[in-house]
Amino acid sequence: MRRKLVVGNWKMHGSLAQNESLLSAIKSGAVQLSRVDIAVCAPFPYLAQLKQELAASAVKWGAQDVHQLEKGAFTGEVSASMLADFGCTYVIVGHSERRNIYGETSRLVAEKFAAAQSAGLIPILCMGETLEQREGGETESVVAEQLDAVIALVGVQAFGKAVVAYEPVWAIGTGKTASQEQAQAVHAFIRQRVAGHDAHVAEGLVILYGGSVKAANAPALFAMADIDGGLIGGAALVAEEFLGICRAGQ
Ligand code: 13P
């Protein structure tokens, strides 16, 4: 059995004061949750706060994006070695907001994945289709392209130390969750595709579901065979909701 993982993606939200109360609630709630892995990914300026607040906690933390290169004249960017130097565990790569708003291609996302891993970070690779693509019957081909770009660059063995997150774009921030059957079908597809390269890596791969996960719908989603936890947006900003989701992963 794979251990469940619940990751909060705060996106561009938070303040020192808000984070403080959210983190202290998560920290104390997490003490009772020893059978689920929990992590929080915050905006860059708040990573120092996560490092300090979560130092004595089992809750891990990470960033939401990373540059694909090691260093150089890239004003405003942050490299994987900097995040690793600072003590990050995770970094999200290829979130649909990065792909769709900032035009990140699957090739660029693969380069970010590779950079993260070579610095010793655990990449959380996001993938998922838009509503138009789902309605056009393209879900599997879209997810396959996003996955294959990474396998082509780094090889399937790299997925032994990575997390995948299936996040259908139409379910993000919309209150419209994929049904557990819809999510399970895509998760199984992703796992099979990885298994086509290496069955052992596929078996151990943690595949998170993201898109309007709440404490109320998490138990049904997490009960599915190939759903190994969640990547949580809006509900990660509310301590009781987030902890409720974490409890569903126990
Ligand atoms: P919501 O949980 O707000 O739908 O966001 C999901 C997401 O994008 C997490 O990365």
Side-chain angles (χ1 to χ4, degrees):
M1 259 297 271
R2 293 174 293 273
R3 249 175 97 88
K4 295 277 196 279
L5 169 65
V6 177
V7 181
N9 173 10
W10 288 0
K11 308 193 179 183
M12 199 169 74
H13 293 288
S15 68
L16 289 173
Q18 282 167 16
N19 304 346
E20 161 93 55
S21 59
L22 186 53
L23 288 170
S24 75
I26 293 172
K27 256 194 311 193
S28 49
V31 172
Q32 268 93 54
L33 301 173
S34 58
R35 284 178 287 124
V36 58
D37 293 322
I38 303 172
V40 173
C41 293
F44 293 128
Y46 298 128
L47 294 179
Q49 189 181 20
L50 297 192
K51 182 185 174 95
Q52 191 182 341
E53 295 286 329
L54 299 175
S57 160
V59 178
K60 303 271 191 272
W61 50 277
Q64 299 172 10
D65 188 28
V66 66
H67 196 267
Q68 68 275 22
L69 297 176
E70 175 74 32
K71 61 181 166 191
F74 303 105
T75 301
E77 294 293 337
V78 173
S79 76
S81 61
M82 293 170 190
L83 294 176
D85 189 23
F86 198 62
C88 274
T89 300
Y90 293 102
V91 62
I92 296 171
V93 296
H95 191 280
S96 64
E97 287 149 18
R98 301 295 320 170
R99 293 179 192 263
N100 300 333
I101 304 173
Y102 301 101
E104 293 193 4
T105 61
S106 293
R107 169 71 199 193
L108 176 64
V109 171
E111 289 171 5
K112 290 184 173 202
F113 181 108
Q117 260 195 342
S118 38
L121 301 170
I122 302 174
I124 300 173
L125 170 65
C126 299
M127 56 190 67
E129 80 290 357
T130 62
L131 185 58
E132 199 183 4
Q133 289 165 332
R134 173 160 285 261
E135 286 173 348
E138 295 164 42
T139 299
E140 292 190 350
S141 63
V142 167
V143 165
E145 186 275 330
Q146 293 172 338
L147 179 65
D148 291 354
V150 182
I151 297 177
L153 185 69
V154 296
V156 78
Q157 296 304 323
F159 284 79
K161 282 194 181 144
V163 172
V164 168
Y166 168 58
E167 299 205 301
V169 179
W170 49 271
I172 295 178
T174 58
K176 222 167 143 192
T177 322
S179 69
Q180 63 258 39
E181 292 83 10
Q182 280 174 321
Q184 164 59 26
V186 181
H187 282 231
F189 172 78
I190 293 169
R191 198 178 305 286
Q192 270 161 28
R193 200 156 181 99
V194 173
H197 297 268
D198 188 310
H200 180 70
V201 169
E203 185 51 39
L205 180 63
V206 169
I207 308 177
L208 309 180
Y209 168 78
S212 300
V213 179
K214 306 271 181 287
N217 59 28
L221 286 160
F222 293 179
M224 305 308 282
D226 291 294
I227 301 182
D228 306 312
L231 183 54
I232 319 301
L237 301 171
V238 183
E240 259 324 297
E241 272 295 315
F242 186 65
L243 285 168
I245 296 167
C246 294
R247 264 178 231 118
Q250 265 282 89

